[in-house]
Amino acid sequence: MMPYRPEPFTDFNNESEENRFKQALVQVRTQLGRDYPLFIGNKTVETKRRILSVNPSNFNQVIGSVSHADAVLAEQAIQTAYSAFATWSGVSLESRADCLFRAAAELRRRKHEFSAWLMVEAGKVRTEADGETAEAIDFMEYYGRQMLQLAQRGERELIGMSGERNRLDYLGLGVGIIIAPWNFPLAILAGMTTAALVAGNTVVVKPSSLTPVIAIKFVELLRHAGIPTEAVQLLPGSGKEIGQYLTAHPLTRFISFTGSKDVGLHLHELSSRQVSGQRWLKRFVGELGGKDAIIVDRDADLEQAAQGIVASAFGYSGQKCSACSRAIVHRDVYDAVLKRCSELADELKVGDVQDFYCGTGPVINQSAYESILGYIHIAKTEGRITAGGSAAGGDGWFIRPTVVADADPGSRIMQEEIFGPLLAFTKADDFEDALRIANFSDYGLTGSVYTHNRKNIERARDTFAVGNLYINRKCTGAIVGVHPFGGFNLSGTDSKAGGPDYLQLFTQPKLTSERL
Ligand SMILES: NC(=O)c1ccc[n+]([C@@H]2O[C@H](COP(=O)([O-])OP(=O)(O)OC[C@H]3O[C@@H](n4cnc5c(N)ncnc54)[C@H](O)[C@@H]3O)[C@@H](O)[C@H]2O)c1
Ligand SMILES: N[C@@H](CCC=O)C(=O)O
């Protein structure tokens, strides 16, 4: 087998690639507004209650109408997954890994189609959508290989003892509940789901109600790739209603959650309570929010730093857990970096992502739009707006990339996760002061440092409290297998998705010692 290599991004300067992408987008447009069922075992279920998925670039356009699960269907799904565990966990891990490789190959063939769905349902510009589709392929190629390696490791790493044969097998746990966010509705959902499956677990997947169509497309693809229908159930529905029901269920063995801090903390607590009929400690793997900072030192390459800050702050309109929302700049270069970032933010064209020249798209829905505009209002009292500062008009949830100068490190815009295109600047007296401000946060997901000072790089490596630290580059865009991803503190359990230790979270190692 070829060693794992990350999927290359599409070169849209290549005319035939560009044309293939356009055809896929036209094709996807012809499918908008359809009805979709949910999946429980080999049944597809249509419900009266519907989730309407709407295009954030055009709130008059329905992407799909999706069946809405309730507690009765959630019970059926978990019972189905529980019954299927014995069979699926007994399938050889080579065959399970093969299912992931087949799914990756199919996704590679259909990558433009999936990216087009991401554009219309999640509001991603083409390059962001293409990057996400590549990441979903990567997760499957990587976890498939990781599972094969984990199996070998069980025997290789034990100390030999004469007269005995010892082996360690990494076994699946049981039924996993996969609760996914809307902002990487393909890659994160694919990564969490396939990691659990390849490790021998069966799953109930609850996608975000804002992006259910892409989840349906992905689960269909998994099933075509050979994952048995009973091993993966898909239950779109309310988080409060069915997400909680599934988390609290006695047959649930683990919860793999990616989403906000508040919901994550709640599910963490719920999963730690034993309920009647429960015979194990539930595992909770939770990747939560961020309030990520970029530090610019006095001797940094200022143009490189400004480009990195703006890309990290406004890529996907700041709707990444890794997005830079705090720029902490040495006082000697503060004015220059602030000015350049404000210019770059103003240059970004905001609009419908189906216009390939648009720099950034909408925010996800009305509630996010109102919340972010509320923060912009607060920003006007907590700092000084130097770019953006308002909605951008149109029939989508468009907000202008907004830069706020002179924010206090303890202010709301410097402490709370806004999850939108709002970047706050604060001045640091020196590098130590910058690190102190950066660490003054409940979160600890990503961070960057722009500096040419070796001592300061080492100091940041020792003391910047983040799971993913980047030097002289942006703080978004982790690549599977290259930059294992996960945060410290209230950013989560630091599970390091796309890293060599991730699959162990979904297995239990069993030692067998045989006297010869
Ligand atoms: N650390 C990471 O790797 C990472 C990656 C992506 C997103 N995020 C974070 O996710 C958040 C954005 O995503 P979101 O808005 O979908 O988050 P969210 O917490 O609102 O929702 C996440 C999922 O949980 C479900 N849910 C909501 N309330 C629930 C409840 N009471 N019980 C059970 N399930 C419930 C939702 O339906 C959704 O499927 C941001 O905070 C972002 O930083 C983190
Ligand atoms: N892994 C992604 C962020 C995922 C969260 O939203 C990145 O590295 O930018």
Side-chain angles (χ1 to χ4, degrees):
M1 169 171 311
M2 298 280 284
Y4 165 76
R5 288 276 171 273
E7 187 68 14
F9 300 138
T10 301
D11 174 8
F12 289 110
N13 292 320
N14 174 325
E15 203 177 324
S16 59
E17 205 65 81
E18 164 98 6
N19 286 337
R20 271 199 286 276
F21 186 86
K22 284 181 179 160
Q23 279 164 17
L25 188 55
V26 168
Q27 197 51 36
V28 161
R29 281 194 201 121
T30 64
Q31 296 173 46
L32 299 182
R34 289 191 180 166
D35 286 346
Y36 295 92
L38 52 86
F39 306 142
I40 300 176
N42 57 15
K43 284 189 308 186
T44 55
V45 182
E46 289 284 357
T47 61
K48 248 192 176 153
R49 212 166 142 204
R50 313 297 296 175
I51 298 171
L52 276 194
S53 170
V54 171
N55 181 351
S57 292
N58 175 359
F59 37 59
N60 302 311
Q61 186 171 59
V62 173
I63 301 304
S65 164
V66 175
S67 292
H68 190 305
D70 57 14
V72 174
L73 292 169
E75 183 61 35
Q76 288 176 20
I78 204 159
Q79 294 292 350
T80 306
Y82 186 70
S83 306
F85 175 65
T87 313
W88 176 243
S89 59
V91 169
S92 75
L93 54 94
E94 289 81 4
S95 301
R96 297 198 307 255
D98 267 347
C99 290
L100 268 59
F101 299 140
R102 280 195 295 272
E106 178 70 5
L107 184 52
R108 189 176 290 114
R109 275 190 289 277
R110 294 170 57 194
K111 69 175 180 172
H112 293 326
E113 176 198 334
F114 273 82
S115 299
W117 280 109
L118 285 168
M119 290 173 79
V120 295
E121 191 174 44
K124 300 214 164 190
V125 297
R126 185 169 61 166
T127 46
E128 295 274 357
D130 182 66
E132 175 165 357
T133 306
E135 189 178 8
I137 296 169
D138 286 348
F139 275 130
M140 293 188 279
E141 294 283 3
Y142 182 76
Y143 292 145
R145 286 170 177 75
Q146 282 295 315
M147 193 63 221
L148 301 177
Q149 282 178 20
L150 193 58
Q152 291 167 0
R153 195 169 131 185
E155 242 174 310
R156 213 177 40 224
E157 290 186 2
L158 296 184
I159 307 298
M161 176 165 279
S162 65
E164 282 186 4
R165 179 170 178 243
N166 295 312
R167 57 182 290 171
L168 199 55
D169 292 302
Y170 289 87
L171 308 177
L173 292 163
V175 177
I177 309 301
I178 311 295
I179 304 184
W182 53 264
N183 73 327
F184 278 78
L186 175 60
I188 289 183
L189 183 137
M192 293 199 296
T193 303
T194 59
L197 284 168
V198 79
N201 304 284
T202 53
V203 294
V204 180
V205 180
K206 206 224 66 76
S208 167
S209 300
L210 300 175
T211 49
V213 173
I214 193 87
I216 290 168
K217 299 277 169 199
F218 178 70
V219 171
E220 279 174 347
L221 181 139
L222 282 185
R223 290 172 161 211
H224 287 150
I227 303 272
T229 52
E230 291 77 11
V232 52
Q233 337 297 316
L234 182 72
L235 280 193
S238 145
K240 269 207 176 114
E241 200 179 324
I242 59 164
Q244 269 177 216
Y245 183 87
L246 294 166
T247 301
H249 200 283
L251 295 182
T252 293
R253 183 66 178 80
F254 67 91
I255 297 99
S256 180
F257 171 82
T258 303
S260 63
K261 178 187 74 166
D262 290 349
V263 174
L265 284 173
H266 174 59
L267 296 183
H268 182 242
E269 184 188 340
L270 203 60
S271 62
S272 69
R273 279 189 223 144
Q274 188 192 6
V275 292
S276 167
Q278 177 185 330
R279 297 173 56 214
W280 38 67
L281 292 176
K282 291 178 187 172
R283 271 195 209 166
F284 179 79
V285 178
E287 290 309 312
L288 317 181
K291 188 70 193 171
D292 311 300
I294 293 186
I295 292 177
V296 186
D297 203 359
R298 66 200 301 187
D299 68 348
D301 177 330
L302 301 189
E303 180 59 22
Q304 194 187 46
Q307 296 282 354
I309 291 171
V310 167
S312 308
F314 302 121
Y316 193 34
S317 299
Q319 301 173 109
K320 299 183 188 180
C321 55
S322 51
C324 169
S325 52
R326 298 181 295 152
I328 304 167
V329 185
H330 193 291
R331 56 169 50 258
D332 292 355
V333 293
Y334 181 83
D335 290 339
V337 178
L338 173 64
K339 180 165 176 284
R340 185 66 184 130
C341 285
S342 305
E343 284 166 4
L344 290 171
D346 276 337
E347 280 167 19
L348 276 172
K349 182 175 170 202
V350 188
D352 186 334
V353 295
Q354 290 181 60
D355 166 3
F356 298 151
Y357 296 101
C358 107
T360 186
V363 299
I364 192 70
N365 67 358
Q366 182 169 4
S367 144
Y369 178 82
E370 286 168 2
S371 159
I372 296 160
L373 289 178
Y375 275 107
I376 290 180
H377 184 68
I378 294 169
K380 290 177 180 165
T381 63
E382 290 189 336
R384 177 169 55 90
I385 307 280
T386 58
S390 63
D395 284 348
W397 306 116
F398 300 116
I399 296 180
R400 292 166 65 206
T402 296
V403 179
V404 187
D406 309 339
D408 184 88
S411 60
R412 287 187 64 189
I413 57 166
M414 287 286 283
Q415 289 293 319
E416 296 174 17
E417 188 185 43
I418 297 169
F419 221 56
L422 195 159
L423 165 69
F425 266 72
T426 200
K427 201 178 279 180
D429 289 335
D430 53 29
F431 195 74
E432 275 311 307
D433 190 37
L435 280 172
R436 185 190 58 77
I437 297 169
N439 286 337
F440 180 36
S441 170
D442 289 341
Y443 295 102
L445 188 45
T446 73
S448 294
V449 170
Y450 282 88
T451 183
H452 286 136
N453 181 323
R454 189 75 235 167
K455 229 175 82 203
N456 287 349
I457 293 175
E458 297 307 328
R459 184 81 186 124
R461 214 157 59 83
D462 289 344
T463 60
F464 197 161
V466 291
N468 282 59
L469 175 63
Y470 301 106
I471 312 292
N472 292 321
R473 55 149 286 184
K474 65 188 176 118
C475 63
T476 55
I479 291 179
V480 172
V482 180
H483 313 112
F485 190 79
F488 289 0
N489 301 334
L490 287 176
S491 285
T493 50
D494 197 18
S495 60
K496 288 288 184 278
D501 306 321
Y502 190 67
L503 288 189
Q504 288 184 56
L505 300 168
F506 308 103
T507 63
Q508 50 190 351
K510 176 173 185 173
L511 175 87
T512 308
S513 179
E514 182 179 350
R515 190 116 184 232
L516 298 173

